[in-house]
Amino acid sequence: MSRVIIALDYAQPSPALELVDRLGDGADFYKVGLELFTHAGAPLVQALRSRGKRVFLDLKFHDIPATVAGAVRSASRLGVEFLTVHAAGGRAMVEAAVEAAESAAESGEMAPDAAPVQILAVTLLTSLSRDDVERTLGRSPVDPEQEVIRLAELAVGAGAHGVVSSPLEVESLRHRLGPGPLLVTPGIRLAGGEAHDQARIATPEQAARAGADYLVIGRAVTGASDPFRAMVEIHRTLEAA
Ligand code: C5P
């Protein structure tokens, strides 16, 4: 069954931790992104870990291999379990991230009780239109879905443990990558829910049926009048799927 990652898209740690305490064991992971981490940093990750929560650090690293490897080692020491890098950083960068995660695990350079860091590759940002992709790559025509598959294969070939994609790409990625890599998908909305700024969306049930391992859910829970009930409803639809 697909599992649930709640995106803590807050500017301050207090509403983030209040939500975590309200949801109890309802979520499998909590995702800390750029906004919250830039403000609250390592202490916030430690606050989640001390509550027994699993942490997904979504900072989308994209730098030279040595710098990314160092950042992965720091994340290992913090007890982060999922971490994103851009597949476009290239084969050597993804390999360096994976090797740093493995060597931190082997040398015991990790937070106590933490599992080894799993490296998830981001392919194309879902905010990019076809035009944006063509301008960025400097060639046209470009088929964004083929580009997502190409970058996912590059990252998984370099050892990445999984890929982040929109729910609409999960089925073709599962087909191309096989059963091994983790497929993690944002863009989840409850049936009849508001899309907000997401264009490529699916319900939890559709994403689960397409083969997603983890669903990243933000506003469908964090923006609900009763986040706990929204969470229960998501688990109910996932069980049915
Ligand atoms: O509120 P919503 O459910 O749209 O939140 C989705 C979360 O997933 C946000 O934290 C967003 O940054 C993240 N994300 C995304 N699309 C990607 C990668 C990450 O929406 N391609």
Side-chain angles (χ1 to χ4, degrees):
M1 195 174 78
S2 310
R3 282 171 282 180
V4 174
I5 300 172
I6 295 295
L8 295 175
D9 289 327
Y10 295 99
Q12 303 284 337
S14 47
L17 293 173
E18 265 163 39
L19 179 82
V20 172
D21 292 338
R22 265 175 97 172
L23 294 183
D25 292 330
D28 297 282
F29 264 89
Y30 287 94
K31 184 171 88 67
V32 178
L34 286 165
E35 184 181 17
L36 187 58
F37 192 79
T38 301
H39 181 81
L44 186 266
V45 174
Q46 280 149 354
L48 291 169
R49 295 269 308 137
S50 68
R51 286 164 163 78
K53 304 305 178 195
R54 304 174 77 187
V55 179
F56 173 4
L57 189 61
D58 185 21
L59 303 182
K60 301 185 179 68
F61 294 152
H62 189 166
D63 209 316
I64 58 171
T67 301
V68 169
V72 171
R73 280 194 295 276
S74 293
S76 300
R77 286 193 286 270
L78 269 181
V80 164
E81 283 188 55
F82 283 177
L83 184 140
T84 42
V85 302
H86 272 285
R91 188 178 179 94
M93 189 204 78
V94 177
E95 280 173 353
V98 172
E99 280 163 20
E102 284 169 0
S103 70
E106 280 160 19
S107 64
E109 209 188 325
M110 285 168 45
D113 305 329
V117 175
Q118 308 253 300
I119 303 296
L120 305 177
V122 175
T123 55
L124 288 184
L125 295 174
T126 43
S127 54
L128 297 177
S129 67
R130 179 186 294 260
D131 267 6
D132 294 325
V133 177
E134 288 177 351
R135 263 186 243 125
T136 307
L137 297 179
R139 62 181 161 83
S140 69
V142 167
D143 174 353
E145 187 170 333
Q146 286 310 312
E147 210 48 40
V148 166
I149 291 171
R150 188 182 68 75
L151 286 163
E153 286 180 330
L154 179 150
V156 169
H161 305 98
V163 175
V164 181
S165 78
S166 99
L168 307 187
E169 286 133 20
V170 166
E171 199 170 339
S172 47
L173 282 173
R174 181 57 79 209
H175 180 69
R176 288 294 285 265
L177 301 175
L182 291 173
L183 297 183
V184 177
T185 180
I188 303 297
R189 292 296 179 272
L190 292 172
E194 232 194 286
H196 305 106
D197 55 350
Q198 297 279 25
R200 298 166 67 72
I201 58 174
T203 63
E205 195 177 354
Q206 287 163 340
R209 288 229 167 103
D213 297 292
Y214 286 92
L215 313 183
V216 178
I217 303 180
R219 286 161 290 184
V221 167
T222 60
S225 54
D226 184 342
F228 186 79
R229 271 192 56 185
M231 191 78 239
V232 169
E233 174 63 13
I234 287 164
H235 281 299
R236 201 187 54 74
T237 60
L238 287 177
E239 271 157 33

